[in-house]
Amino acid sequence: MILYISPIPTAFIQRDIEMLSPTFRIVHLNFTANPYLLPFFLVFQFFQLLVLLPFTKKYLCFFAGYHTIIPVLFGKLFGKKVIIECGGTDAMHLPKIDYGNYRKKWLKKATVYSFKNCSLILPVSNSLVKSTYTYDPESPKKQGLLHLIPDLKTKIQVVYNGFDEQFWADDQRNKTPFSFVTVATGISKKNRALVKGIDLILEMAKTFPSYSFTIIGDKNFQTSLPNVTVMPSLSQKEIREVYRDSQFYLQLSYSEGFPNALAEAMLCGCVPIGSDVGEIAKIIGETGFILPRKDFQLLHDLISKLDTIDLKMLRINAAKRIKENFNYALRKEKLIAILK
């Protein structure tokens, strides 16, 4: 049995579980993101893991943090392999926007302890291993595990996310001209909105009032702009419908590891526009547009030129790039080989 441990339930975690379940017996245990419940959940998790110990072969954890302390400890005490999938916030330190595990003393200690003492680290992108951050000159340049934990000796193996091209597929419908979409959860909190680049998107909406913008993921987020539609969290099928109707996907994040929604939207024929952080530029390649640094004038100039571009060809190439480079079957094959 493999215990899959995560801080919160997400679509990409569910995708991994569905990917691995035909081959392994997977038991999924969720932790909590509520700091007030942390002591209770640490005690509860200890007894969960103790009861399941005789049946547990390996621990697979998404992100490092408080929820990985006890699995790593059990792994060391009882000779169980502990694998941590590094996803983003656990390999970034951006104090200007209050983002990353390393901004808080005890969360940093939990993260560093977990990475140093687990068996294997599986980042979803190379940028999370070691990278130079240039999107905002006011933020620390040295990012990634090897910069933030210089004495880290744990083995690291990058395994990119993979996407189901049968489900996330462009049905070739006519898209609404100059329609932009982004998926961002938790953006009713200011720092989360900054992480996801919502400030830039709202500025775009003000500047281009004839263009339409859709933000999916947080029903509590509010804006008075008439050309911005805010939608709550949606099912995968509902999100796919929005992608198929939209001409562009915006990933103007201040920080990202490997944004799943970007790749899914590209498969559905959205032309991507992304910030030069994390793996975004590699995902997009030559099939869309990259904002090199957080500068609205640069973004304005980029958006102003869209009506001069062959968008039909970019639409085709965007989907093709994800199919060829970030394949669901390839991620599945690599994860299964690692877990056997």
Side-chain angles (χ1 to χ4, degrees), residues 167-197:
F167 181 83
W168 301 105
D170 186 356
D171 63 0
Q172 304 302 318
R173 73 179 64 172
N174 291 327
K175 290 177 176 283
T176 304
F178 296 100
S179 54
F180 300 78
V181 62
T182 194
V183 174
T185 59
I187 56 171
S188 48
K189 294 180 179 179
K190 184 179 178 181
N191 76 310
R192 180 68 176 171
L194 289 172
V195 170
K196 291 299 179 180

Side-chain angles (χ1 to χ4, degrees), residues 178 304-311:
F178 296 100
S304 297
K305 296 175 183 176
L306 291 178
D307 59 357
T308 67
I309 306 293
D310 183 358
L311 298 175

